[in-house]
Amino acid sequence: MTKNRHSDNSCTMAAALSVISGKWKLRIINQLLSGQKRYSEINRAIPGMTEKMLSQQIRELEEDGIVTRRVFPEVPPRVEYALTPIGEELSSIFYTLERWGSNYMTITNASGEVVQPDYTCYTLVKDQEETVKADI
């Protein structure tokens, strides 16, 4: 982890949240859950995010060991991003957050209507889905 961005974390949960917090990082990680992607693919898949912000956020994720960057020696250069093994562990966390968010939205919904989890909010790799459900 980069010292200047994470130097004051003595709580492990605060450390974890500092790595994935922000408007764009979860969306970037979500795109990479389905496999490696080129910069332009990630950029197109996340509307409203500028190229500058994508570059900054993906650089921070790379510094924190969540994302790897692979440069191919071609002309023009081709760069692909993928999750590291520790980044892939976030898949089960996304699933759990989706379930918690659904419960929270149901509890705080003034009409009392039950809100079902929307598993399309994130990309869960299919072979991991059963494992995640079994763990819960």
Side-chain angles (χ1 to χ4, degrees):
M1 292 192 308
T2 307
K3 289 182 182 180
N4 60 353
R5 288 188 299 115
H6 305 294
S7 61
D8 59 345
N9 290 331
S10 59
C11 171
T12 56
M13 189 176 301
L17 289 174
S18 72
V19 172
I20 62 171
S21 66
K23 181 175 181 178
W24 304 109
K25 285 184 182 176
L26 289 178
R27 294 176 185 184
I28 294 167
I29 294 166
N30 180 41
Q31 289 300 310
L32 295 173
L33 283 172
S34 62
Q36 66 185 20
K37 293 213 175 14
R38 294 180 71 171
Y39 180 91
S40 60
E41 291 176 292
I42 299 168
N43 193 35
R44 279 192 303 268
I46 306 174
M49 182 174 53
T50 65
E51 288 190 28
K52 178 183 177 188
M53 187 55 64
L54 175 57
S55 294
Q56 177 185 341
Q57 298 291 284
I58 209 160
R59 190 177 311 114
E60 289 179 9
L61 288 167
E62 188 178 1
E63 288 173 6
D64 292 336
I66 304 300
V67 170
T68 61
R69 178 178 188 260
R70 183 174 174 202
V71 180
F72 293 86
E74 301 173 353
V75 177
R78 178 170 53 122
V79 178
E80 292 184 344
Y81 295 93
L83 292 175
T84 63
I86 198 164
E88 290 173 353
E89 290 178 18
L90 291 168
S91 177
S92 61
I93 294 169
F94 277 26
Y95 179 79
T96 303
L97 280 172
E98 178 61 39
R99 292 188 60 210
W100 183 89
S102 171
N103 184 46
Y104 177 79
M105 288 175 66
T106 297
I107 291 169
T108 60
N109 188 346
S111 68
E113 183 180 329
V114 174
V115 178
Q116 295 297 319
D118 178 7
Y119 300 118
T120 63
C121 288
Y122 66 98
T123 307
L124 182 63
V125 179
K126 293 297 179 197
D127 60 328
Q128 292 178 342
E129 187 172 359
E130 294 305 315
T131 305
V132 170
K133 289 179 181 178
D135 290 343
I136 294 177

